Amino acid sequence: MSAQGARPVLMERFRSVLPVTAATPMLTLGEGATPLVRAPRLGASIGASDLWLKVEGANPTGSFKDRGMVVAVAKALESGARAVVCASTGNTSASAAAYAAAAGIEAVVLLPAGKIAAGKLLQAFAAGAKVISIRGNFDDALEIVRELGAGGGGVEIVNSINPHRIAGQATAAHEIVADLGDAPDVLALPVGNAGNISAYWRGFTDAVAAGAATKRPRMVGLQAAGAAPLVNGAPVSNPETVATAIRIGKPASWDTAIAARDESGGLIDSVTDAEILRAQEEIIRLGGIFVEPACAAPIAGLRNLIASGRVDGSGRIVAVMTGFGLKDPETASRLIGEIREADATLAGVRTALGW
Ligand code: F0G
């Protein structure tokens, strides 16, 4: 039970589609039930007449990772684990650190050196995680985590190779179906390690099987051009992009992501860093939602795909805004404008405004 009033607890609300048993601790930090907001001005700028944003940055640690992390950490607790461990481009580590803190177990996070956005790194430290900086990239870190976890000893891997993570993340698809009354025509999202696209596809598939939705959306995944293994059809050994969250060259959920693409009649495309930065600015300036760079990939991609006719701009489109804008203040600092100084008088403010 919770003392959060009307706010649903994710593991209770979605109990029927989660691996929750009578022995599973009902851990919660208030994850899920995130806003689905219409974005007409942003939609108009990319040629989409019915565009919605699923605001996953509204989760407790500021990203969609909390949906799966609450389940993974609860199951780790249930199995008597003493520590959780993950590789991360930042958000998974922030989420693991927070849920481990609440659960009273240790969190160990392996991060690619120098490539973690400041907000995310701060979150991991603030929650008391043990932070290891790997002289390599995310893919190298995940390889080591697999070996660490294989050793047993009460150490649970909480990357998305842990099936409880995917089960939890699938709840976002159920929320979208509940809010819209059916699945949208298109679901667009950023793709890195490819767990989330796999989770959404599973969620929509389950929603149809349960009779909650009549159809499944086309899945439209977007990668950064410098880290686009699924678009190229081959791993990328030195992935590079301003969207550090999706700086991944060898996605763990490769096969399920390709299956989601193909079964849905969808596509996985890439966008340049310049397109990502432009779209990040538009999402806040035209939509009012401040997101980290990775979330701009689906908006930048949709613009290209609608323009080229590969996506129908008249359909109902949901784009997933996976993480909050203040996670990466350094990249966003280009948006800071000129500060207008003024005397502390009405006249002074009017002068500064030019009114
Ligand atoms: N968006 C954000 C903000 C992310 O942090 C991630 C992944 C993705 C999209 C891509 O999701 O990996 O399921 O395809 N972040 C991971 C991390 C890798 O370590 O935080 P995916």
Side-chain angles (χ1 to χ4, degrees):
M1 294 309 284
S2 79
Q4 299 186 37
R7 188 176 178 82
V9 170
L10 185 135
M11 282 201 294
E12 286 174 0
R13 178 178 175 191
F14 295 108
R15 196 181 191 105
S16 65
V17 292
L18 293 174
V20 174
T21 70
T24 311
M26 274 298 143
L27 188 63
T28 186
L29 295 178
E31 58 291 324
T34 56
L36 181 64
V37 300
R38 206 169 205 153
R41 295 187 69 222
L42 180 64
S45 96
I46 63 165
S49 57
D50 190 17
L51 177 68
W52 299 71
L53 304 178
K54 179 67 169 161
V55 187
E56 289 290 279
N59 276 297
T61 75
S63 88
F64 72 99
K65 303 287 180 181
D66 297 339
R67 293 179 181 277
M69 196 58 71
V70 68
V71 183
V73 174
K75 295 302 283 184
L77 265 184
E78 184 181 336
S79 69
R82 65 178 172 85
V84 293
V85 58
C86 66
S88 182
T89 58
N91 281 322
T92 297
S93 60
S95 187
Y99 283 89
I105 57 178
E106 194 178 344
V108 174
V109 305
L110 274 62
L111 311 175
K115 298 291 182 180
I116 303 300
K120 303 173 189 182
L121 193 57
L122 175 55
Q123 285 181 289
F125 278 116
K130 280 192 182 148
V131 177
I132 314 263
S133 178
I134 298 289
R135 292 182 210 102
N137 60 32
F138 169 86
D139 306 294
D140 301 321
L142 184 57
E143 212 45 58
I144 299 165
V145 162
R146 285 180 195 269
E147 290 168 30
L148 263 182
V155 177
E156 201 73 56
I157 299 175
V158 292
N159 279 105
S160 56
I161 53 175
N162 178 331
H164 302 319
R165 281 276 315 279
I166 302 291
Q169 286 175 206
T171 60
H174 292 281
E175 288 180 12
I176 291 171
V177 166
D179 287 353
L180 297 176
D182 204 341
D185 298 310
V186 170
L187 191 286
L189 78 176
V191 174
N193 210 25
N196 211 26
I197 190 171
S198 307
Y200 269 92
W201 185 238
R202 170 167 158 188
F204 286 119
T205 301
D206 288 350
V208 168
T214 65
K215 61 181 181 191
R216 298 183 292 181
R218 287 184 78 201
M219 302 295 289
V220 173
L222 274 308
Q223 301 205 287
L230 296 173
V231 182
N232 304 342
V236 174
S237 46
N238 291 307
E240 216 37 87
T241 169
V242 69
T244 52
I246 52 172
R247 183 178 170 269
I248 294 175
K250 204 169 149 234
S253 297
W254 187 297
D255 294 343
T256 46
I258 296 299
R261 179 194 71 185
D262 295 345
E263 288 168 22
S264 74
L267 53 96
I268 299 178
D269 202 7
S270 65
V271 288
T272 65
D273 280 1
E275 290 173 320
I276 285 173
L277 293 173
R278 173 184 171 195
Q280 183 194 25
E281 183 172 347
E282 282 180 324
I283 297 166
I284 178 65
R285 300 256 162 111
L286 300 175
I289 304 293
F290 188 30
V291 297
E292 65 168 287
C295 314
I299 295 300
L302 282 169
R303 169 186 281 114
N304 297 340
L305 294 165
I306 291 169
S308 64
R310 292 174 76 200
V311 167
D312 179 4
S314 68
R316 172 162 286 176
I317 301 177
V318 173
V320 186
M321 298 294 108
T322 47
F324 183 48
L326 287 177
K327 293 255 189 191
D328 186 351
E330 203 173 290
T331 306
S333 66
R334 74 190 189 285
L335 302 175
I336 296 174
E338 185 201 345
I339 294 177
R340 302 168 193 228
E341 280 202 26
D343 290 337
T345 61
L346 178 58
V349 171
R350 283 215 165 105
T351 303
L353 285 170
W355 283 7

